[in-house]
Amino acid sequence: MSATAKESARLFTPFLDPVDMVMCCSAEATLEEVNSHAAAFGLRFPLVGEPATSLSAHLGVIDHASGSARFGPYVDNILGMNWELKSGTIVRVGERVIKSTTGYDLQRFLLHTDGRYGCARDYVLRLRPLGGAMAQAVLHGDEPALEKACELLLQSPWLHWLDAVDLVIAGDRNTSLEIYADCAPGEEACFGDFFRQLAHNSGCLVLAPAAPRRRTLPALSLKTVLSEARTLGAELVRDFGGAARVLVVNGVVHYFPATPGKALPADALAALANRCAAAGGHLFGPLAPVSIPSAAEACWAAELEAAWKQL
Amino acid sequence: MAIPADASELIALVRRLKDEDVPFVVRGAGTSLSGGPVAAQGGIVIHVSRLRSIEHLDPRNLFAVVECGVVLNQLDEALQPHGLYYPPDPSSGPVCTLAGNVATNAGGVHCFRYGVTGNYVLGAEAVLLDGTVVRFGGPAGGRGDWRDDWKRLFVGSEGTLGVFTRFWLRLIPRPEKVWTFRATYRSVGEASDVITRLVTHPASPAAIELMDARSVAMVENSPMAVGLPRNRFMVLAEIDGPTALIDRRVQSVAETMRACGADDVAYSDQPAARVGLWKARKAQGGLLGQISPDFVVQDAVIPKVHLAETLRFIYDESDRRGITVATVLHAGDGNLHPNFLFDARQPEQLAAVEEIGKALMCRVGEVGGTLSGEHGIGNDKAPYMAKHLGPRGCRMQLAVPLVFNPRHQLNPLKVFPERRFG
């Protein structure tokens, strides 16, 4: 086999392995397509977004999603990639098994680099079992009550069983806490007891609506510490209108301006970016200001780019 | 050997060594199983054992700030009173340091459900070879002041890119209750079947472990015997979480284990009984050192569908060379740990173990697996990287240390054999 053929043979090809619960698909596959294929094997991709939007489009806008409470960010749910370098060469990055410490973790590094080093052609996704039932609740209450509910949840041994804990802030007196968990049939009541107890202990009211498993992609995403995310979400809606979805367990705010695509004032964005960065967080998404690298970082990036250009 | 008293001494030391132009390697507790902290090209070993301060716990925001030399179980003891949990749990927990855990992206028995070290590193502070001290991420776990998420490259980099000084670690609430299950099976096929069913079980086990029949026999033929039938494969599973939820899942897990042909399924939520259920698994590592002058623990990950055939391959390769092997697996992850027993004073035995290791790594690659699941590459597996990654994959990887450590002064000859200092 020629060297080129050997390199090609290393690339991932489409597959679904129901035993390891991994699948390889195009980066342009939509969430709907992925989940439709996975469901035939009793599996699902656990991060929720826009069903008709591609995986790569999601990754270009968000790094966490509803579902990240339990399953972490996108980088924790993508195990490998076929990566097209800027030179046009496609290389395999990462693995198809669910655990690896073989070499430097390039796929996690590359996933959110905004095309600086190329782009993903295919992903190897980590899938999860479809439980067969969904336990869900929406908690309503005033700000102190919802804050208490968040605090109680973050200390609860139930936390790691909840797919999503989203504080939805849609304006004055219109805030709610949406919780859902994929579970086995018959377990909904058990979760329901917990949701009611949580509401009782925090002074909230609990409703159990049919929450659609779809989410619109935000215009701006902020990553910060957990308590600060709830504060930032409320401040954004208060100061600029629109709505925010706070991923309570991840310290992430997804912000939706009242007028889609409308930019926030530059000074406000800069202040937000500084506030998040000071805590080791960041801003991400279409409205995020362009990140200017330091001299050192620009140098590192240039060296990587130059080395990879020769491949 | 240099043992800095604190982070400022560590930073000063790195700057000095850079100027002295000698290779150096950072050592936590030296528990690496792949040769990571060995001074393969001589030089200076920096021991971080005195940087043991747990600097801050934030139960409200679920993170801890720790110095790099904090021992894993020391952190766990500090977290218990707060009801907090840091899940990565390599078996060297009583002595291993977080510096080593982060450097190798360590795993452990519970990472099937909870993930590995890298899933819990929110931020890392490191001193680079040019003497600058950088913080990647922080309590928020994002990119911080950086455009790209460089901490992803540093976690698991085996001490080849910089020297860690402290970490920001993500915590989660401690599980309220734990149930442990143990069952034995006549064949690898039955054991493989139950593993396949457990990984998709709604109880979402935290741990799914397998001991092969040779390991079980080794324990049962020792003073550590627990009364398991010999020549059986033993599967251990653990579920944890809130009591109200977990208790209702117990019978279903036990039924799943029985349905695959278990001789007997024992399970308990009582701490003493759970220790008893784990005893054979925990005893195995210590026994190896007692019954053999030397042993090597290998580490590889395979697609689980290839479990039975890969075990057969290991047995065939070992048996025909007269090498005793006993295998345990973090089976949920497909993470194999064959233990090869030998006497290094016998050159032919050492050569045989190296041949088996080489053959195994080739086979792992052929079935779509990877060279290391949690031990790292070190110098043990560095020779296999070229074949596993291919020329382009290697060059892409090697570009990373060339940015931060171009002359390979930091931990030379690790991860890639080409990484020679000087």
Side-chain angles (χ1 to χ4, degrees), chain B residues 37-52:
Chain B
V38 172
Q41 231 183 306
I44 303 292
V45 175
I46 301 177
H47 209 296
V48 295
S49 55
R50 292 176 70 187
L51 281 73
R52 282 197 180 184

Side-chain angles (χ1 to χ4, degrees), chain A residues 12-86:
Chain A
F12 295 112
T13 50
F15 70 88
L16 192 152
D17 176 347
V19 177
D20 267 3
M21 296 187 285
V22 292
M23 76 177 279
C24 176
C25 63
S26 162
E28 299 314 310
T30 65
L31 270 184
E32 199 167 40
E33 289 165 344
V34 167
N35 278 315
S36 166
H37 192 47
F41 297 87
L43 301 170
R44 65 182 171 129
F45 184 67
L47 303 187
V48 176
E50 291 182 349
T53 300
S54 70
L55 289 164
S56 66
H58 282 85
L59 277 140
V61 177
I62 53 173
D63 44 20
H64 290 73
S66 288
S68 291
R70 182 170 170 188
F71 298 105
Y74 270 92
V75 293
D76 287 354
N77 292 280
I78 295 177
L79 304 168
M81 304 184 286
N82 290 327
W83 185 263
E84 183 173 342
L85 294 162
K86 288 176 89 172

